[in-house]
Amino acid sequence: MNKTILFILFIVLSFSGVSQSKQKKILIVSTNVDTVGTNVSGTYAMEIAHPWKTFTDKGFDVDVVTPKGGKAAIYNAAKTDDDIVQIQNNEAFIKTTTNTLSPTQVNPKDYVAIFYPGGHGQYFDVISDERIAVIAAAIYENGGYLGTAGHGAASILDIRLKNGKFLIEGKRMTVFPLWAEKEWMNISNFGKLLQFDMQEVALRRGANLIVCTKATIDDNTLTRVIDTKNRMVTGSFARSAKWVSEEDGEDDGYLNKVVSAFIDMS
């Protein structure tokens, strides 16, 4: 079960015919920063494209917010799957990501959930934008849901609730592992261009952190974490987002368990 499907289940099951008092809107947080060092960066395309399509297919209105508004910085891998390219060429997707909202245009009361896709650009604008942090805290404290994919978890580390506590304190969650940053991420010069290690910061902020090792990378329970009680879904990697619009397939048994859990919760 990938993290984006889990997040969608959170929202769909809780707001489709259960809570009609709230508008069916979801906020996705992207970045305006399109380079890190000399490397092209921003929000990783698969992590925003697939969620956008699935949310809209399910009948949700989707807004994208960036610190400056305007065009979101979205980048692709060297080889991009055709389904992602198709979404990126969708007129509505282009309109939404080219004309993103600025924080001053966002009313947190309008949204039932907020989703943070991954990418490194956010390290240089979203993370330090207190306006977006306030919006996220308000959506969450209004009963909304919060989801992150890959590096998206870095953007929620400093969010504080009204009681002064960090939002992630006591929450079950995962992040993109430090070992993977050091081995795979040439965009960040293998972590050297980043201001902090989100794995270490999440632990200091009091998160109940679950992180896979290189040996346990195929264990879904360590890379796709759902905290039902606290309305949070986090995933370690971007790669499983490709399944966001596909059939349940081999995950059907686990999917049914998650569905049952959310029905009971709602």
Side-chain angles (χ1 to χ4, degrees), residues 219-240:
D219 186 343
N220 290 346
T221 64
L222 302 178
T223 61
R224 300 157 190 174
V225 178
I226 184 168
D227 187 336
T228 307
K229 178 182 177 181
N230 292 303
R231 309 186 313 279
M232 280 181 57
V233 176
T234 53
S236 304
F237 303 107
R239 64 174 187 239
S240 57

Side-chain angles (χ1 to χ4, degrees), residues 120 151 175-191 194 197-199 211-214 217 236-237 239:
H120 289 96
H151 290 83
V175 299
F176 190 83
L178 177 61
W179 65 262
E181 191 76 44
K182 290 183 175 181
E183 286 195 28
W184 300 343
M185 294 291 104
N186 62 303
I187 289 178
S188 68
N189 192 16
F190 307 100
L194 304 181
D197 163 24
M198 64 175 155
Q199 186 173 322
V211 182
C212 71
T213 64
K214 194 171 183 178
I217 193 171
S236 304
F237 303 107
R239 64 174 187 239

Side-chain angles (χ1 to χ4, degrees), residues 83-250:
D83 56 344
I84 298 173
V85 173
Q86 185 175 5
I87 297 169
Q88 287 186 274
N89 289 334
N90 181 288
E91 185 176 337
F93 179 82
I94 293 172
K95 182 178 180 180
T96 301
T97 56
T98 303
N99 302 284
T100 70
L101 302 177
S102 68
T104 58
Q105 295 175 292
V106 175
N107 182 352
K109 294 181 180 179
D110 292 342
Y111 300 92
V112 298
I114 184 167
F115 183 80
Y116 288 84
H120 289 96
Q122 63 179 321
Y123 276 82
F124 302 92
D125 62 354
V126 174
I127 289 173
S128 59
D129 196 305
E130 70 280 0
R131 302 166 303 170
I132 294 178
V134 168
I135 288 168
I139 291 172
Y140 182 78
E141 293 195 294
N142 285 340
Y145 293 75
L146 186 150
T148 69
H151 290 83
S155 289
I156 71 171
L157 298 181
D158 285 341
I159 298 174
R160 290 182 183 268
L161 303 177
K162 289 180 180 177
N163 61 11
K165 293 184 177 181
F166 289 107
L167 185 152
I168 67 171
E169 183 177 336
K171 311 296 195 301
R172 292 182 70 249
M173 64 177 291
T174 189
V175 299
F176 190 83
L178 177 61
W179 65 262
E181 191 76 44
K182 290 183 175 181
E183 286 195 28
W184 300 343
M185 294 291 104
N186 62 303
I187 289 178
S188 68
N189 192 16
F190 307 100
K192 295 176 183 178
L193 296 178
L194 304 181
Q195 306 96 314
F196 59 87
D197 163 24
M198 64 175 155
Q199 186 173 322
E200 186 268 336
V201 174
L203 287 171
R204 284 198 286 110
R205 298 285 188 263
N208 180 2
L209 194 63
I210 299 168
V211 182
C212 71
T213 64
K214 194 171 183 178
T216 60
I217 193 171
D218 293 324
D219 186 343
N220 290 346
T221 64
L222 302 178
T223 61
R224 300 157 190 174
V225 178
I226 184 168
D227 187 336
T228 307
K229 178 182 177 181
N230 292 303
R231 309 186 313 279
M232 280 181 57
V233 176
T234 53
S236 304
F237 303 107
R239 64 174 187 239
S240 57
K242 64 182 287 189
W243 297 316
V244 72
S245 298
E246 295 179 359
E247 296 298 323
D248 305 333
E250 63 184 25

